[in-house]
Amino acid sequence: MNETALFKLSYGVYICTSWDEGKPVGCVANSAMQITSSPATVAVSINKNNYTHKCIEDCGHFALTVLAEDSDPKLIGTFGFRTSKEYDKFASAPYTVRGKLPVLDGGMAYLSCKVVSKMETATHTVFLGEVEDCDHLRAGKPMTYAYYHDVLKGKTSANAPTTVAAAPEKKQKVYVCEICGYEFTGDFDSLPGDWVCPICGVGKEHFSAK
Ligand code: FE
């Protein structure tokens, strides 16, 4: 079996949100798709280790915020590499309640869903959600998983449901963010002191040479 064939599947980048007893929670989801049109139903795959997973189970609702190519990549760092259990992800990410669910203002569209069914796998639950409300937030090009990796040089959380091709070998020195795994290639020492990780927003002190 040649598992690299899996790299040929395409994905978007979404923030999947829900409520934890009135507090907004959320995580990055890349495996989401429309299943039926009438009634409009979508599926999203969420790792059982994610705190958001438990909250979707308890609350029975979730929303997907569709990110655009020019959405702040820090949204992915915050929602993909930290846990809602210990960290208020929404402190630095403005949101608005739409369709009764928290939706990130930095996205370009949203779908607000009621869980109508689910399918269990060893590591992930696929939630089926009937869309109760959805709308555009602004114009833009939806961010794809390929864009995130190839253009923004983003990394994948250990909880992601998909396999990702390894980056090609680089000859230049590489510095890695200990929080989100973002890799900076080039003259790290010449970066200004207030430079921050473009994905998760931490300072240079959280980087180390690979
Ligand atoms: Fe980072």
Side-chain angles (χ1 to χ4, degrees):
M1 186 164 88
N2 183 356
E3 290 185 346
T4 59
L6 291 163
F7 304 160
K8 304 304 177 192
L9 295 176
S10 303
Y11 302 91
V13 183
Y14 313 98
I15 310 286
C16 183
T17 53
S18 189
W19 294 114
D20 178 21
E21 294 176 4
K23 216 179 68 184
V25 293
C27 63
V28 169
N30 66 292
S31 294
M33 60 182 172
Q34 183 172 356
I35 302 294
T36 64
S37 57
S38 185
T41 306
V42 296
V44 62
S45 177
I46 302 290
N47 191 295
K48 294 180 183 181
N49 291 329
N50 281 357
Y51 188 67
T52 303
H53 179 279
K54 167 204 176 298
C55 299
I56 295 173
E57 295 242 285
D58 292 348
C59 149
H61 288 79
F62 66 87
L64 294 172
T65 300
V66 181
L67 297 186
E69 285 184 352
D70 59 355
S71 288
D72 188 347
K74 288 195 188 73
L75 284 173
I76 301 174
T78 302
F79 283 86
F81 295 91
R82 304 216 175 185
T83 171
S84 292
K85 196 173 178 181
E86 297 153 3
Y87 180 80
D88 180 8
K89 300 178 178 185
F90 293 82
S92 61
Y95 72 97
T96 303
V97 176
R98 300 177 191 272
K100 299 182 189 159
L101 284 150
V103 169
L104 278 302
D105 294 346
M108 60 174 289
Y110 74 94
L111 312 169
S112 168
C113 307
K114 177 179 79 178
V115 175
V116 290
S117 188
K118 57 185 181 172
M119 185 179 73
E120 301 294 346
T121 73
T123 55
H124 290 69
T125 299
V126 179
F127 292 101
L128 282 191
E130 194 175 310
V131 180
E132 295 189 315
D133 186 31
C134 58
D135 204 352
H136 303 271
L137 299 173
R138 63 177 171 85
K141 258 181 105 175
M143 190 188 293
T144 63
Y145 207 45
Y147 183 90
Y148 171 64
H149 281 281
D150 299 343
V151 182
L152 300 180
K153 305 295 179 198
K155 297 297 164 189
T156 305
S157 159
N159 285 351
T162 52
T163 313
V164 174
E169 241 177 79
K170 298 174 185 117
K171 291 201 176 73
Q172 276 181 294
K173 207 161 183 189
V174 175
Y175 292 81
V176 184
C177 174
E178 67 188 30
I179 304 296
C180 76
Y182 170 79
E183 292 184 359
F184 176 89
T185 305
D187 189 359
F188 190 75
D189 294 331
S190 71
L191 290 171
D194 59 356
W195 183 87
V196 295
C197 174
I199 300 296
C200 72
V202 298
K204 287 176 78 176
E205 68 279 12
H206 289 284
F207 278 72
S208 53
K210 195 174 182 183

